[in-house]
Amino acid sequence: MRLLGEGVPFVSGIDTPEIGSHAKCIKERKMALIAKGRLKEVLAEKGLRIVLSGAVDKTLSHRPLVNIYRTNGEEIGKKLLRHALSRP
């Protein structure tokens, strides 16, 4: 699955920094680890709700584009965007 951010067009979802050899620089690699860690924390929460958009990304794997909501209604992709851990 690939995360959408609420309000992000159903094209390819949000874009997070690249990890490892795909990163363009050390700063991107560090930001990727921060984003990954934050997402991992949130995904460990109980009661998350996954909503399929009906669209898939444009990669060869055609991952489904989804919105994931916390129990308080907060959308996770939007949270990553707001904290500058991803971009539309």
Side-chain angles (χ1 to χ4, degrees):
M1 290 183 269
R2 185 163 185 161
L3 279 178
L4 286 169
E6 224 170 46
V8 173
F10 295 151
V11 177
S12 59
I14 61 173
D15 183 26
T16 55
E18 296 292 336
I19 290 179
S21 62
H22 297 287
K24 293 179 183 158
C25 63
I26 292 172
K27 182 179 178 184
E28 181 178 15
R29 198 170 292 125
K30 286 181 183 178
M31 286 299 297
L33 293 174
I34 292 168
K36 181 180 179 179
R38 185 64 191 119
L39 182 58
K40 189 175 180 179
E41 286 174 15
V42 175
L43 291 177
E45 295 176 11
K46 298 210 183 297
L48 295 176
R49 184 171 52 99
I50 299 172
V51 178
L52 297 170
S53 71
V56 296
D57 71 7
K58 294 184 178 191
T59 66
L60 292 176
S61 58
H62 301 295
R63 295 173 290 184
L65 298 173
V66 301
N67 288 99
I68 302 176
Y69 295 90
R70 300 170 94 176
T71 56
N72 66 2
E74 181 180 37
E75 199 272 328
I76 293 174
K78 190 174 183 178
K79 181 179 183 74
L80 292 174
L81 288 165
R82 188 173 56 249
H83 291 281
L85 296 172
S86 64
R87 64 182 180 193

